[in-house]
Amino acid sequence: MLDRYARRLIDPPLNQIGAGLATRGYTANGVTLIGLGLGLFAALLIAVGAPMLALVPLLASRIADGLDGAVARATQKTDFGGYLDIAADFLFYGAIPLAFVLSDPAGNGSAGAFLLASFYFNGTSFLGYAILAEKHGDKTDAQGQKSLYYSNGILEGTETIVFFVILCLLPHLFTPLAWVFGALCFATATLRIYAAKQIYTT
């Protein structure tokens, strides 16, 4: 729900920084991979029991995730770049819950599995909706300029990042928070499927 509002705040400075990176020879795909590396490093820190230390690379990875699109807009957007970006995002979103499970398998295992299943379902509904939107020629820039159609929902990228930050600050509450967030992910995906049925039945 918050992505469209967050983009209005962060896009102008990101575009300015991205243009500067582009003039220094950085590529959008390179920035995407840097962001992924930072995100996976954050997951590693969580897995070894240092979630507070993970906050810095975690947030840096999300800044890089915004900057890759800004660099692409300043240079050249490609279909592969958009594909690489979404693949890296999904790997990051799966790695953080997995890291909390690895840090405490007995305590976090069930809730973590539920959360990952909800991410899987939500991600499938998101990508499937994007395919339908592309097929019907639908466009939106509500979540910024993207390489594919970004459908809105109860939970989007902004909420997920806030959730990850809260988990790092309050790791002892992972289990109840994961159950709640996972349930909201299932609700988001279900509502997205319902919306697709209403719009794309014919």
Side-chain angles (χ1 to χ4, degrees):
M1 293 188 292
L2 299 178
D3 277 10
R4 66 178 62 198
Y5 306 107
R7 299 306 308 194
R8 294 173 189 170
L9 294 174
I10 66 175
D11 274 354
L14 285 179
N15 287 335
Q16 185 175 3
I17 297 170
L21 291 174
T23 62
R24 289 171 174 79
Y26 287 87
T27 66
N29 291 347
V31 175
T32 296
L33 294 175
I34 290 171
L36 176 60
L38 288 166
L40 295 179
F41 180 58
L44 176 62
L45 289 173
I46 293 167
V48 298
M52 288 291 289
L53 291 178
L55 278 172
V56 173
L58 189 153
L59 292 173
S61 78
R62 296 306 86 197
I63 293 172
D65 181 53
L67 283 173
D68 58 4
V71 172
R73 290 189 289 274
T75 53
Q76 181 181 8
K77 293 189 291 185
T78 66
D79 289 340
F80 175 75
Y83 170 75
L84 179 64
D85 179 51
I86 197 70
D89 283 349
F90 276 45
L91 177 54
F92 165 77
Y93 288 134
I96 298 300
L98 174 61
F100 278 101
V101 171
L102 293 175
S103 71
D104 183 5
N108 295 342
S110 296
F114 176 75
L115 183 61
L116 286 170
S118 75
F119 279 11
Y120 185 84
F121 181 41
N122 196 28
T124 300
S125 74
F126 171 80
L127 293 176
Y129 196 104
I131 292 170
L132 289 174
E134 177 69 22
K135 182 178 179 180
H136 288 262
D138 294 338
K139 305 291 183 183
T140 181
D141 60 358
Q143 282 81 20
Q145 298 180 30
K146 303 291 187 179
S147 58
L148 70 164
Y149 190 100
Y150 270 58
S151 54
N152 59 3
I154 300 172
L155 299 179
E156 298 172 345
T158 302
E159 291 86 356
T160 306
I161 300 310
V162 171
F163 172 61
F164 285 170
V165 169
I166 293 172
L167 289 179
C168 288
L169 293 172
L170 303 170
H172 60 287
L173 295 179
F174 175 84
T175 293
L177 292 174
W179 284 112
V180 171
F181 198 85
L184 291 173
C185 281
F186 275 108
T188 298
T190 301
L191 289 172
R192 185 177 287 121
I193 291 171
Y194 177 77
K197 181 179 183 297
Q198 297 300 109
I199 297 171
Y200 300 120
T201 295
T202 56

